[in-house]
Amino acid sequence: MKRLRRHGQESQRDRIKQELFQFNKTVEHGFPHQPSALGYSASLQLLAIGTRSGAIKLYGAPGVEFMGLHDENAAVTQVHFLPYQAGLVTLLDDNSLHMWTLRAHKGLSELLEIGRFTLTGPPGAPPSVTRVTAVLPHSSGELLLLGTEGGHVFIVEVPGFREVEERNISLDQVASSVPDDYIGRRNLEHVEALQENPVDPDQVVIGYGRGLMIIWDLEKRIISNYLSYLLCIVWWTDDGSYILSSHSDGSYCQWIVGREDVNEEEEKSDIPYGHFPCKAISKIVQLPTKEGPPFLLFSGGMPRASYGDRHCITVIHSKTHVALDFTSRIIDFFVIKDGPQNTGDPSALVVLVEEELVVIDLQTAGWPIIQTPYLVPLHSSAITCSHHISAIPLKLWERIVATGDLQNTHYSKKPWPITGGQNLAPDPPQRDLLLTGHEDGTVRFWDASGVCLYPMYKLSTAAVFQTDTDPNDNMNQSTEGEWPPFRKVGCFDPYSDDPRLGIQKIHLCKYSGYLTVAGTAGQILVLELNDETAEQTVEAKVVDLLQGQEGFRWKGHTRLDVREDPVLFPPGFQPFALVQCQPPAVVTALTLHSEWKLVAFGTSHGFGLYDYQQKNNVLIKCTLNPSDQLAMEGPLSRVKSIKKSLRQSFRRIRRSRVSLRKHHLCCTGFTGLLQDANARLEAELAEMELAPVQRKIEARSSDDSFTGLVRTLYFADTFLSDSSHNTPSLWAGTNGGCVFAYMLRVPSIEHRTEEAVTAQPAKEIQLMHRAPVVGIVVLDGHGAPLPEPLEVAHDLSRSPDMHGSHHLLVISEEQFKVFTLPKVSSKMKLKLTAMDGSRVRRVGVAWFGSSRTEDYGESGLMVLTNQGDVHVVSLPTVKMQVHYNCIRREDVSGIASCVFTKHGQGFYLISPSEFERFSLSTCNLVEPHCLIEAPLQSGTSTQHRPQPSRARCIQSAARRVMEHALLNDESEYSIVRRTRELKL
């Protein structure tokens, strides 16, 4: 009977788990790490980026995103969309070609790899014969031309990757058709470029590494023309009358096409930035306009000695000549045109550089930048911390948006030019903010409600302090008459003028609009949102956390100097209070209670409480251990001595050997107790079958480093003195397993400005195992976590139960322990169930709603370990609910950067520039839902194209019918019927 009852309870618990918890990695935010290739489809209006790690990412209209990953751990070197098809081809640096398609499934598109191919040469041929260097998808959509390092051009059919050997262009064919003086002067070498004639798809220009260019007729299989220069890349103009070739000496040349005898002296050659030696022009594009001269764009070509380290794209149109100067290496670029099928005037220049994507409006005077709705470089300054706020009130949201709009007046008003696909995701149920702190002292506000992590507002704290930063420095400024005419573009600027400005902790109250940020040099700023410009002086309140203790000398960096003159702060969050910790160590914990007007902060030396309404210090507590000298060295000189490290290691080894020796003596010297030992062992094994395996917690030495470092701070209105009177309180947890509780007296609102806030010590808990305390939560009489400040006042949460007894949940790196209040007696605990040294790294309270019943949900504790696993622990029973593998255990930075949300989601950095978003909730998912429809019509010009045979027309149409049917999940009967209609 008990077994049946237990089985029923387990099945009910499993059912609830399925309703509440489900792990999904949903979307990646930010800029792809180490991009290596760029592609664009004018017919699909899709952008593709390949990376060195083998990822391929597609972007269309905001919210339309796809991601694929090659099985091979190789870099993507080229990306090419197939003309007028929902497919693309990628080339990896292991010489493999991969076919991808966007296939519809249940009304949504998904990116799938449908084939792979590697060129195979004749037996005994060197690898260079089949090493692909250039790829050209033919406009017919049926052929792929592959130029190789050996000089051959192979032709394969797609999507099946079948080599058409009879149509290959061998090096011997080319050499036999070109005059001897061309071959003698210049070796053909590898194929550098392949380009199709825009008006005659049977003509293809092939450019070889040493400069020979030939125009090959695919239908007649002969050379129709040949040209010669030191080649880098070629471009065939839209009307087919000219070929532009760029060269390794920084020049470009315009060749006339269609004449049998081409005189090189008649061709137009130019070195834009001569007369001194210049770097190669790596890519050149010339695009006509309906009225006026064409656009000429090229990358590189800078004078080698003076500006060889610049990453530039030059744009020339009429009398306007600009050298766009980027802050990182240029990967590739393309130009988007107006009108259907990209047939109008050039409208936008899209440039992929190593650290960001820059889009420039070519139709507005001054060529301003278009703000990107995605692919924003999160790491424009290195990210140092993150903070997430759920369900932002509309009024605060609108004020932040309006403030951000004032900062973005230099951007173009044109809409985002890449508009492919349909975003079918539902509107976000709430407004969420993600705040990121950066090394340069900025805090950036991101709209994290949907798939696109959109920039809203940037706050800079550097203006408060005396630094080397010039506030009038403008990246877009250029000197009049400068040559080349440089113009700085892009926002990637990883260099910080002063590392002490780095933001370490952020806390925003969404109801009051108060924001507090803390930095590397012990500075804590309290800010409020102001819609108007204000000029004011911010005075620093110095807090001595050592409280005059002798024998300590700070060896770290000095504190930041505050500006004495009034500072003009723009609309937005403006500082009105500043606390400066002394010593100026990194702030390790921070929390804000906007209802009580209090800020609590902690460092490796202690913690303090600050009243930002009266601008007074309420509490200062030193937690520094006398034996902890490393806490006085600061983050820039924090290096353990070799002697101390070896000493601690030998102590651990000695302790383990002593325990093993004792165990050995017990087993050999007291043989009479073996039976009892075996009986106990069998009993323990029986318990292990019913309960999860729990690792023994090893007590930590009190002389370990940084025992006084404050890890967590928590405000609570609970019972400390007796069970009948609740009072405001502050809780602090340290790295040495110590919890301090202070009882606060906060005057009423009427007397808040007159009477001072006071604090007196109430409780102190020392965990036996001395593991670092990473979280503190107080549970009310119903076992629910206490609401946030002002949450009840805004009718967004029920009032906490003050009739039943409260409980204190202390989360250390080793275990979860529940104490009763106010007696602080241990009630229950849960050890971390791992055998391989797991430690708790992040915790957060979240609400998990049911996917089946709207009015049901549970509060749970989200936990991340140093193994990269995420757990959900039930409240108040403190039982493990679910366990998922989330982050690789080797990814230390990813684990350290993780932040949880209040609704069961999380973010962590998978690279310096990308957040991975995941969800543990069944009803709270933010992921792309989009559809791509394959274009069925062809927009290429057929003026000079030979008419194909009827059989070829039927074959091509049938293939398109098949692709369209697969993309839209049509039945086999429908495919057969439509194919028969084509043949009739």
Side-chain angles (χ1 to χ4, degrees):
M1 192 69 179
K2 289 183 179 179
R3 186 173 301 173
L4 289 174
R5 188 180 299 117
R6 181 182 301 171
H7 177 73
Q9 293 174 351
E10 290 178 355
S11 62
Q12 183 180 4
R13 187 161 57 246
D14 292 340
R15 180 181 57 81
I16 293 177
K17 289 180 181 180
Q18 293 175 0
E19 291 182 13
L20 300 180
F21 311 115
Q22 180 182 358
F23 179 73
N24 289 288
K25 290 187 178 180
T26 54
V27 66
E28 294 179 1
H29 297 300
F31 183 77
H33 185 51
Q34 295 181 332
S36 54
L38 175 68
Y40 177 69
S41 170
S43 59
L44 295 175
Q45 282 284 297
L46 288 181
L47 164 79
I49 295 178
T51 69
R52 294 187 200 172
S53 61
I56 179 74
K57 299 188 176 186
L58 273 60
Y59 301 91
V64 177
E65 297 184 10
F66 301 93
M67 191 191 110
L69 188 64
H70 296 86
D71 293 336
E72 297 80 1
N73 187 18
V76 181
T77 57
Q78 295 186 46
V79 177
H80 299 276
F81 281 91
L82 299 180
Y84 305 98
Q85 299 178 43
L88 65 153
V89 175
T90 56
L91 173 67
L92 306 187
D93 64 357
D94 64 356
N95 205 41
S96 62
L97 286 157
H98 300 257
M99 176 67 67
W100 299 80
T101 186
L102 288 163
R103 182 171 296 171
H105 179 65
K106 296 182 180 179
L108 298 176
S109 297
E110 54 185 359
L111 182 63
L112 299 174
E113 183 180 359
I114 59 173
R116 62 187 64 190
F117 173 73
T118 302
L119 276 177
T120 55
S128 62
V129 172
T130 55
R131 180 76 182 177
V132 179
T133 55
V135 179
L136 173 64
H138 194 259
S139 60
S140 65
E142 302 173 355
L143 300 176
L144 207 62
L145 279 70
L146 307 176
T148 64
E149 191 175 307
H152 305 281
V153 177
F154 294 85
I155 299 179
V156 298
E157 290 183 344
V158 288
F161 282 132
R162 187 184 71 86
E163 184 180 345
V164 188
E165 296 184 4
E166 64 274 11
R167 302 189 67 178
N168 289 345
I169 308 168
S170 68
L171 203 59
D172 295 335
Q173 288 177 285
V174 175
S176 61
S177 304
V178 176
D180 294 339
D181 55 345
Y182 281 89
I183 300 298
R185 286 189 295 138
R186 297 178 178 88
N187 188 3
L188 297 179
E189 282 199 354
H190 63 280
V191 176
E192 184 77 28
L194 288 170
Q195 188 81 19
E196 181 183 334
N197 189 337
V199 298
D200 187 358
D202 284 333
Q203 288 191 347
V204 175
V205 61
I206 305 173
Y208 294 92
R210 285 294 181 90
L212 178 66
M213 291 186 294
I214 66 168
I215 298 177
W216 182 266
D217 192 305
L218 292 174
E219 189 70 21
K220 300 177 181 178
R221 301 185 63 206
I222 60 172
I223 295 177
S224 61
N225 212 334
Y226 48 86
L227 319 165
S228 183
Y229 213 90
L230 298 174
L231 182 68
C232 270
I233 202 71
V234 297
W235 175 263
W236 212 319
T237 58
D238 285 4
D239 58 2
S241 59
Y242 293 94
I243 292 178
L244 268 70
S245 62
S246 63
H247 314 121
S248 57
D249 61 355
S251 66
Y252 71 91
C253 190
Q254 183 172 299
W255 308 85
I256 300 174
V257 180
R259 290 166 48 183
E260 294 292 336
D261 51 341
V262 177
N263 187 352
E264 293 184 19
E265 296 179 357
E266 295 180 6
E267 309 307 329
K268 180 183 177 182
S269 180
D270 189 14
I271 304 178
Y273 298 113
H275 305 281
F276 298 102
C278 296
K279 299 191 73 175
I281 295 178
S282 57
K283 183 173 182 177
I284 189 165
V285 172
Q286 181 174 297
L287 298 170
T289 58
K290 293 181 179 178
E291 298 179 2
F295 274 88
L296 179 66
L297 307 95
F298 60 86
S299 57
M302 288 290 127
R304 188 177 297 274
S306 305
Y307 305 108
D309 58 341
R310 300 285 187 103
H311 311 289
C312 295
I313 290 180
T314 299
V315 184
I316 303 173
H317 177 63
S318 186
K319 296 181 179 179
T320 307
H321 183 145
V322 174
L324 303 172
D325 190 6
F326 297 89
T327 57
S328 55
R329 184 175 62 89
I330 297 169
I331 305 297
D332 201 354
F333 70 91
F334 62 85
V335 178
I336 299 176
K337 300 180 187 177
D338 277 338
Q341 306 299 337
N342 247 14
T343 56
D345 287 349
S347 62
L349 169 64
V350 181
V351 185
L352 176 67
V353 296
E354 210 162 32
E355 303 294 349
E356 60 184 318
L357 182 80
V358 181
V359 181
I360 297 169
D361 179 6
L362 297 178
Q363 293 186 340
T364 303
W367 296 341
I369 292 176
I370 301 175
Q371 188 172 18
T372 57
Y374 46 73
L375 291 172
V376 184
L378 307 176
H379 64 314
S380 52
S381 175
I383 296 176
T384 49
C385 65
S386 303
H387 178 61
H388 186 275
I389 312 101
S390 301
I392 304 295
L394 179 59
K395 184 177 180 180
L396 176 63
W397 185 270
E398 290 176 342
R399 293 180 68 188
I400 295 175
V401 170
T403 303
D405 291 341
L406 296 176
Q407 296 180 334
N408 298 332
T409 54
H410 61 284
Y411 285 113
S412 170
K413 304 300 181 184
K414 288 280 183 113
W416 182 243
I418 302 172
T419 59
Q422 303 175 44
N423 180 15
L424 303 180
D427 293 334
Q430 60 190 21
R431 295 169 292 272
D432 290 351
L433 273 178
L434 180 67
L435 275 60
T436 54
H438 298 263
E439 191 180 35
D440 62 355
T442 59
V443 178
R444 297 168 196 257
F445 290 63
W446 307 88
D447 180 358
S449 310
V451 172
C452 297
L453 196 65
Y454 186 77
M456 297 177 63
Y457 164 69
K458 182 176 79 170
L459 164 69
S460 178
T461 63
V464 181
F465 306 101
Q466 294 280 0
T467 63
D468 296 332
T469 306
D470 183 6
N472 297 319
D473 184 23
N474 187 357
M475 286 187 65
N476 294 330
Q477 287 182 349
S478 58
T479 307
E480 189 71 24
E482 181 185 16
W483 187 260
F486 291 116
R487 174 187 155 196
K488 283 282 187 183
V489 288
C491 61
F492 177 71
D493 185 16
Y495 306 106
S496 175
D497 294 310
D498 195 333
R500 296 175 298 173
L501 290 170
I503 305 298
Q504 298 296 328
K505 296 292 177 182
I506 306 171
H507 194 112
L508 171 67
C509 176
K510 60 185 177 182
Y511 305 111
S512 64
Y514 284 110
L515 170 70
T516 178
V517 296
T520 304
Q523 71 272 24
I524 299 100
L525 283 167
V526 187
L527 309 96
E528 61 180 342
L529 190 57
N530 190 354
D531 300 328
E532 304 293 334
T533 302
E535 186 176 18
Q536 59 193 28
T537 303
V538 183
E539 296 182 0
K541 189 74 173 181
V542 179
V543 176
D544 183 11
L545 292 175
L546 296 181
Q547 295 181 303
Q549 294 192 30
E550 298 180 358
F552 295 103
R553 185 169 61 88
W554 174 249
K555 302 177 184 178
H557 48 251
T558 59
R559 73 184 194 187
L560 287 163
D561 296 325
V562 182
R563 291 184 185 271
E564 298 178 356
D565 300 330
V567 179
L568 187 66
F569 293 102
F573 284 94
Q574 299 172 351
F576 65 91
L578 170 61
V579 179
Q580 177 62 60
C581 296
Q582 193 64 28
V586 174
V587 177
T588 57
L590 182 72
T591 188
L592 168 75
H593 201 294
S594 54
E595 191 173 359
W596 301 338
K597 303 294 190 295
L598 297 175
V599 171
F601 52 89
T603 70
S604 55
H605 307 124
F607 60 91
L609 183 62
Y610 178 74
D611 178 358
Y612 63 81
Q613 183 170 13
Q614 296 189 7
K615 297 186 178 180
N616 288 326
N617 294 326
V618 178
L619 166 67
I620 301 173
K621 170 67 176 177
C622 179
T623 57
L624 189 65
N625 191 312
S627 63
D628 187 5
Q629 291 295 328
L630 287 181
M632 303 304 297
E633 295 183 1
L636 303 182
S637 60
R638 187 180 297 171
V639 180
K640 277 190 175 183
S641 66
I642 297 178
K643 289 183 179 180
K644 186 161 187 177
S645 299
L646 290 174
R647 191 185 308 120
Q648 291 176 353
S649 300
F650 281 126
R651 283 177 182 172
R652 294 190 186 98
I653 295 172
R654 193 180 301 115
R655 283 197 297 265
S656 62
R657 286 180 176 176
V658 169
S659 61
L660 286 173
R661 190 180 300 113
K662 290 180 179 178
H663 178 71
H664 177 72
L665 289 174
C666 290
C667 292
T668 55
F670 303 97
T671 55
L673 300 177
L674 280 178
Q675 293 180 353
D676 294 339
N678 289 333
R680 286 196 303 269
L681 183 59
E682 290 178 0
E684 290 176 3
L685 290 174
E687 290 181 2
M688 288 172 63
E689 292 177 356
L690 299 176
V693 180
Q694 295 182 339
R695 176 174 51 84
K696 180 183 177 182
I697 296 176
E698 180 182 353
R700 305 191 184 193
S701 173
S702 60
D703 62 351
D704 281 350
S705 300
F706 300 107
T707 56
L709 185 145
V710 179
R711 293 285 292 269
T712 183
L713 291 163
Y714 181 74
F715 284 113
D717 187 0
T718 186
F719 303 96
L720 271 182
S721 57
D722 56 66
S723 58
S724 58
H725 297 88
N726 58 295
T727 179
S729 62
L730 172 67
W731 302 77
T734 70
N735 213 44
C738 192
V739 178
F740 299 94
Y742 281 79
M743 191 162 52
L744 308 178
R745 192 191 71 84
V746 181
S748 61
I749 299 177
E750 295 81 9
H751 303 91
R752 183 66 179 82
T753 57
E754 304 168 359
E755 300 181 12
V757 179
T758 60
Q760 64 181 40
K763 307 287 182 183
E764 183 174 338
I765 306 170
Q766 177 63 63
L767 301 180
M768 293 181 61
H769 49 88
R770 299 183 182 275
V773 178
V774 296
I776 296 174
V777 180
V778 172
L779 308 174
D780 67 5
H782 291 304
L786 296 183
E788 295 182 9
L790 293 175
E791 199 169 19
V792 176
H794 285 76
D795 295 328
L796 296 173
S797 175
R798 65 172 181 82
S799 299
D801 181 19
M802 292 297 182
H803 300 290
S805 60
H806 284 195
H807 292 88
L808 173 69
L809 172 60
V810 177
I811 305 114
S812 70
E813 285 190 354
E814 303 280 1
Q815 66 181 0
F816 311 89
K817 197 165 188 178
V818 179
F819 299 88
T820 59
L821 289 177
K823 293 184 178 180
V824 194
S825 57
S826 178
K827 183 179 181 181
M828 65 182 75
K829 63 182 177 181
L830 171 68
K831 301 175 186 177
L832 201 60
T833 56
M835 296 294 292
D836 49 1
S838 289
R839 299 284 191 274
V840 176
R841 285 291 179 259
R842 287 285 185 275
V843 292
V845 176
W847 174 259
F848 295 92
S850 173
S851 59
R852 301 179 183 177
T853 308
E854 292 185 3
D855 56 352
Y856 177 75
E858 293 182 2
S859 289
L861 196 69
M862 300 176 68
V863 181
L864 174 72
T865 72
N866 63 338
Q867 305 296 318
D869 302 329
V870 288
H871 307 260
V872 177
V873 177
S874 64
L875 295 175
T877 56
V878 195
K879 291 183 179 179
M880 200 70 72
Q881 296 295 304
V882 289
H883 163 225
Y884 303 104
N885 297 321
C886 181
I887 311 174
R888 291 183 301 107
R889 66 177 64 187
E890 299 84 10
D891 188 2
V892 179
S893 61
I895 294 173
S897 64
C898 183
V899 58
F900 292 124
T901 77
K902 298 291 184 183
H903 292 87
Q905 298 188 66
F907 298 80
Y908 68 93
L909 288 172
I910 54 175
S911 73
S913 59
E914 292 173 286
F915 273 113
E916 175 78 69
R917 188 171 191 155
F918 63 91
S919 174
L920 297 175
S921 172
T922 56
C923 65
N924 198 342
L925 292 174
V926 176
E927 57 185 348
H929 290 83
C930 36
L931 177 65
I932 302 294
E933 294 183 355
L936 295 179
Q937 72 280 3
S938 174
T940 55
S941 174
T942 56
Q943 181 179 357
H944 303 287
R945 182 181 299 180
Q947 294 298 320
S949 65
R950 179 176 180 273
R952 187 173 178 183
C953 287
I954 292 175
Q955 181 183 6
S956 178
R959 182 179 54 80
R960 284 191 171 87
V961 166
M962 179 71 72
E963 291 177 358
H964 185 268
L966 290 173
L967 287 168
N968 293 279
D969 276 356
E970 291 188 17
S971 64
E972 294 183 8
Y973 172 77
S974 176
I975 297 172
V976 173
R977 178 178 56 80
R978 292 177 61 184
T979 306
R980 286 177 178 174
E981 290 175 357
L982 283 172
K983 293 181 179 180
L984 292 175

